[in-house]
C-alpha cells in the first residue's frame, strides 16, 4: 500500500521508487538485511538510480557490491536529529564513479546539508574519532581512575565539550555503542583503538541502554537526566 503525509509518500512495495534518481537507505544496522535490501532494489530500480546508505558503521564497498551497481553506490551518513544537524558524510569507495560522487554532493547541498568527503574506513570521520573516545572514557571507569561524574565534568570544562562522554554514550545508546565496537573489533582485531570496555558490556547485558531505556550510566526521564545510575 502507498500513503502520503506532509508530502512524504510511504509504500511497502520495493518497486514503488523504481523511477527515482537517488535512494537513501536508513534501515536497521544489520549488514545481512541491508545487503538483501540493496540486492532486491538493484533488480527493480531503474539502472541510472544512485544507491546511498546511511549506515554509521558497515563497509560501503560491501553494500555496493551487493547492490549490483557498485559504481553508482555511495555512503550518505546523516546525523541525528537529521532535521537540525547540517553535516552529512559522503563516503566514496574505490568503485564509486566520479559522476555518482558529484551528483550525491550536489544533492546534499540541495537539501541544505554541509557535506564532507571521506574514504570507506570504519566509522568514517566522526564515529572513527568519537566512538574510540567514548571507549577510552569508559576504560577509565573500568580501571577505577575516576568516577562517571568527574570524567564528564572534566571533559566539559577542560576540553570544552557540550556534554561529557558518559552522557553522550547514554544519548547514543549503550547497545548501539557496543554493537559498533563489537563489529570493529571482529573486523579489525589488530587495531588498538577498537576495544570493548567491561562496564559497557555489563550495562547492555543488564538491559541498561541509556536514555532510551531510562537507565544507563545515568537515570533518565525522557530527555532529562535525573541522577546517577
Amino acid at each position: 500500500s502507498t500513503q502520503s503525509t506532509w508530502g512524504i509518500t510511504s509504500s511497502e512495495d520495493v518497486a514503488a521508487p523504481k523511477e527515482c534518481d537517488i535512494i537513501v537507505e536508513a534501515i536497521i544496522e544489520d549488514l545481512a538485511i541491508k545487503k538483501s535490501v540493496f540486492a532486491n532494489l538493484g533488480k527493480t530500480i531503474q539502472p541510472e538510480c544512485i544507491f546511498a546508505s546511511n549506515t554509521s558503521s558497515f563497509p560501503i564497498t560491501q553494500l555496493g557490491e551487493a547492490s549490483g551497481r557498485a559504481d553508482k553506490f555511495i555512503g550518505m551518513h546523516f546525523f541525528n536529529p537529521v532535521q537540525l544537524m547540517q553535516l552529512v558524510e559522503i563516503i566514496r569507495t574505490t568503485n564509486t564513479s566520479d559522476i555518482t560522487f558529484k551528483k550525491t554532493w550536489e544533492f546534499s547541498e540541495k537539501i541544505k546539508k554541509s557535506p564532507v568527503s571521506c574514504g570507506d574506513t570504519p566509522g568514517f570521520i566522526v564515529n572513527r574519532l568519537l566512538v574510540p573516545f567514548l571507549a577510552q572514557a569508559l576504560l577509565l571507569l573500568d580501571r577505577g581512575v575516576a568516577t562517571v561524574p568527574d570524567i564528564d565534568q572534566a571533559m566539559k570544562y577542560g576540553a570544552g565539550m557540550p556534554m561529557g562522554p558518559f552522557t553522550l554514550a547514554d544519548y547514543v545508546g549503550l547497545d548501539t555503542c557496543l554493537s559498533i565496537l563489537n563489529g570493529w573489533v571482529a573486523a579489525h582485531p589488530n587495531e588498538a583503538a577498537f576495544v570493548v570496555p567491561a562496564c559497557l558490556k555489563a550495562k547492555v547485558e543488564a538491559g541498561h541502554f541509556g536514555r532510551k531505556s531510562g537507565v544507563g550510566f545515568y537515570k533518565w526521564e525522557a530527555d532529562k537526566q535525573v541522577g546517577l545510575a
Side-chain angles (χ1 to χ4, degrees):
S1 63
T2 300
Q3 297 179 334
S4 183
T5 305
W6 298 317
I8 299 174
T9 301
S10 64
S11 176
E12 297 176 2
D13 181 6
V14 72
K18 62 182 179 181
E19 300 300 325
C20 286
D21 296 316
I22 185 168
I23 291 177
V24 182
E25 164 272 317
I27 65 171
I28 186 172
E29 283 290 277
D30 183 302
L31 184 58
I33 293 176
K34 287 180 185 287
K35 284 184 175 181
S36 176
V37 166
F38 280 119
N40 289 329
L41 287 173
K43 299 171 185 175
T44 57
I45 306 302
Q46 61 108 347
E48 296 307 309
C49 179
I50 293 171
F51 288 171
S53 176
N54 181 53
T55 182
S56 60
S57 57
F58 293 130
I60 301 301
T61 301
Q62 289 187 29
L63 296 174
E65 291 170 349
S67 75
R69 55 180 78 183
D71 63 317
K72 295 183 179 66
F73 202 98
I74 200 162
M76 285 189 75
H77 182 216
F78 294 83
F79 291 80
N80 284 321
V82 175
Q83 70 273 22
L84 298 178
M85 298 290 280
Q86 277 194 284
L87 183 66
V88 58
E89 292 173 322
I90 307 297
I91 300 93
R92 182 175 189 170
T93 76
T94 55
N95 299 318
T96 305
S97 70
D98 290 342
I99 189 63
T100 294
F101 178 81
K102 181 175 183 291
K103 287 182 176 180
T104 305
W105 190 277
E106 291 172 348
F107 172 70
S108 301
E109 293 181 325
K110 186 175 181 180
I111 60 174
K112 308 301 182 184
K113 295 299 180 184
S114 299
V116 295
S117 176
C118 181
D120 191 15
T121 188
F124 316 132
I125 298 174
V126 174
N127 282 343
R128 182 60 182 264
L129 296 173
L130 181 62
V131 175
F133 158 69
L134 296 179
Q136 287 300 315
L138 272 59
L139 286 173
L140 288 180
L141 183 65
D142 281 352
R143 299 180 188 118
V145 172
T147 65
V148 168
D150 283 348
I151 295 170
D152 271 2
Q153 291 284 83
M155 295 311 294
K156 279 179 67 177
Y157 300 120
M161 300 187 70
M163 65 178 72
F166 289 91
T167 300
L168 180 55
D170 270 4
Y171 261 101
V172 170
L174 303 184
D175 55 332
T176 300
C177 293
L178 180 61
S179 176
I180 291 171
L181 284 168
N182 278 337
W184 288 358
V185 168
H188 307 278
N190 296 321
E191 174 55 71
F194 301 159
V195 60
V196 179
C199 62
L200 176 61
K201 187 176 180 181
K203 286 287 184 181
V204 174
E205 288 177 349
H208 299 165
F209 302 150
R211 179 176 58 97
K212 60 186 172 185
S213 69
V215 181
F217 288 102
Y218 293 95
K219 295 177 181 177
W220 298 84
E221 291 179 1
D223 283 345
K224 185 179 180 181
Q225 195 181 93
V226 294
L228 192 64

